[in-house]
């Protein structure tokens, strides 16, 4: 199965990650603990839904694994807003009963 393991022409592209993936995890972990989200379901389904929704609402940021990362306050704000939006949606209608 060519290409199915993130390999192209023998080069592994697995380390090419969307920068937002890590940032969403980092920020989501903090945001979800806030007072305003107490009572929020913290199960795996809801966490995946929030994670996916937030990422889908952000422009992709694929970067070389060797690229030096600089913290960008503006991007962090953008990501935080996407996470809050996603939490609202999942809280209102979780994908399970
Ligand atoms: Zn849940």
């Amino acid at each position: 199965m060519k290409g199915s393991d993130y390999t192209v022409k023998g080069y592994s592209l697995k380390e090419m990650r969307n920068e937002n993936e890590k940032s969403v995890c980092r920020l989501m972990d903090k945001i979800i603990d806030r007072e305003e989200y107490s009572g929020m379901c913290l199960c795996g389904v809801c966490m995946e839904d929030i994670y996916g929704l937030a990422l889908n609402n952000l422009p992709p940021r694929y970067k070389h694994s060797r690229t030096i990362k600089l913290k960008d306050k503006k991007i962090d704000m953008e990501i935080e807003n996407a996470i809050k939006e996603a939490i609202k949606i999942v809280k209102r209608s979780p994908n399970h009963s």
Side-chain angles (χ1 to χ4, degrees):
M1 281 212 291
K2 267 191 174 172
S4 61
D5 58 351
Y6 296 95
T7 303
V8 177
K9 300 288 176 213
Y11 294 104
S12 172
L13 301 178
K14 223 186 268 178
E15 299 309 312
M16 283 284 298
R17 306 305 308 173
N18 182 350
E19 271 303 293
N20 288 336
E21 293 175 2
K22 247 189 230 164
S23 304
V24 167
C25 287
R26 173 170 53 85
L27 293 169
M28 197 175 133
D29 208 33
K30 283 188 221 163
I31 292 169
I32 213 131
D33 282 339
R34 287 184 189 161
E35 186 79 49
E36 58 189 298
Y37 301 120
S38 62
M40 176 74 207
C41 175
L42 300 175
C43 82
V45 177
C46 291
M47 293 305 101
E48 278 188 7
D49 282 347
I50 295 167
Y51 181 68
L53 275 171
L55 281 174
N56 282 338
N57 284 324
L58 289 163
R61 293 193 173 88
Y62 279 93
K63 272 195 199 130
H64 247 248
S65 52
R66 279 153 294 194
T67 306
I68 297 163
K69 290 161 215 142
L70 295 169
K71 268 213 175 163
D72 188 323
K73 274 229 170 86
K74 240 174 76 187
I75 292 178
D76 269 13
M77 272 309 284
E78 192 189 352
I79 292 170
E80 183 167 336
N81 286 332
I83 293 168
K84 284 184 186 165
E85 212 35 58
I87 291 175
K88 243 194 267 169
I89 293 166
V90 174
K91 199 177 178 186
R92 201 165 48 213
S93 48
N95 252 323
H96 57 73
S97 45

